[in-house]
Amino acid sequence: MKYLTTAQTAALIRKDLKANFPGVKFSVRSRSGSAINIEYTNGPAEADVKAIARKYEAAGFDGMIDYQYNISHWYNEATGEVCVANNQGSAVTGGCYEGEQNDCPGEGWECVSFGADYIFVTQNITAGHFIDAVEIVAEKTGHYDLTTLDAVRVTESTKAGWINYSDFACNGRDWNEAQWINNLIYETARELSVAEYMAA
């Protein structure tokens, strides 16, 4: 089996993301331990980026039994394709994740162990999408005061937007309702971001 470092794994992920999401700027960085952080602003849905990036995870975790299991992969350097070679799973130790083992797909493939146990993806959304999302949610829910609360904040380091949902609760709503509105705004802002990306 060939063992790749975290840095080598990060380089493969960058190449794969660039091929699948042209024009999107991704920050792909290894962090302390065997992990990689991926961060980007607006663009494709976070779930779509995770589907690409997490193909390179060298471990899985079953929180029900507090157990980490190993995953090795088949990798074709010429085509860049990746598939599971051996996923130990957790079922053999009483967990809920079944294992998986696959034969070599053919010539040009080699068995590898990627250098990152876990890969984390964060999608930042710019403030403009949050402002638009507040207006949409206000109209959809009948909470028309949302647009007057100035609840959209901006994180200076990334210029990403976020919502101070305590403003909602302080305006005559309970915390559960405020959280529901907050989640709806985040969901709507992400939808606006994806729609903008798809239309570009």
Side-chain angles (χ1 to χ4, degrees):
M1 183 185 296
K2 180 178 180 180
Y3 291 87
L4 279 70
T5 65
T6 306
Q8 289 172 320
T9 303
L12 293 177
I13 294 172
R14 287 190 195 96
K15 184 177 180 181
D16 208 345
L17 291 175
K18 184 177 181 180
N20 281 276
F21 308 108
V24 179
K25 184 177 180 180
F26 292 96
S27 170
V28 183
R29 296 182 178 180
S30 56
R31 52 184 263 187
S32 57
S34 299
I36 290 173
N37 282 347
I38 299 172
E39 192 169 347
Y40 68 106
T41 299
N42 296 335
E46 189 174 290
D48 293 339
V49 176
K50 287 179 179 178
I52 298 297
R54 288 185 171 170
K55 294 185 303 184
Y56 297 88
E57 286 187 323
F61 185 76
D62 190 335
M64 296 295 292
I65 59 172
D66 193 28
Y67 178 76
Q68 176 176 299
Y69 51 91
N70 296 323
I71 306 172
S72 61
H73 295 80
W74 296 111
Y75 173 61
N76 189 315
E77 186 175 1
T79 64
E81 293 175 280
V82 176
C83 65
V84 172
N86 182 35
N87 181 338
Q88 292 179 344
S90 62
V92 293
T93 58
C96 57
Y97 295 106
E98 294 292 336
E100 176 185 358
Q101 187 164 352
N102 298 299
D103 294 333
C104 179
E107 187 177 350
W109 294 77
E110 62 180 335
C111 190
V112 302
S113 176
F114 291 121
D117 287 342
Y118 302 106
I119 297 168
F120 303 97
V121 177
T122 300
Q123 180 190 29
N124 298 312
I125 304 295
T126 48
H129 287 312
F130 277 102
I131 292 170
D132 292 341
V134 168
E135 295 179 356
I136 292 170
V137 171
E139 184 68 31
K140 182 182 294 185
T141 64
H143 290 269
Y144 298 107
D145 64 300
L146 297 179
T147 58
T148 69
L149 295 179
D150 193 28
V152 178
R153 305 287 189 268
V154 178
T155 303
E156 285 303 317
S157 60
T158 62
K159 302 303 179 185
W162 60 281
I163 298 293
N164 184 5
Y165 81 90
S166 63
D167 290 352
F168 304 157
C170 292
N171 211 46
R173 286 172 281 265
D174 63 36
W175 286 99
N176 288 332
E177 187 176 28
Q179 185 66 67
W180 169 71
I181 291 172
N182 181 72
N183 291 342
L184 189 56
I185 290 172
Y186 270 88
E187 179 183 334
T188 303
R190 288 189 172 94
E191 289 174 352
L192 292 172
S193 171
V194 171
E196 179 185 66
Y197 170 72
M198 297 298 291

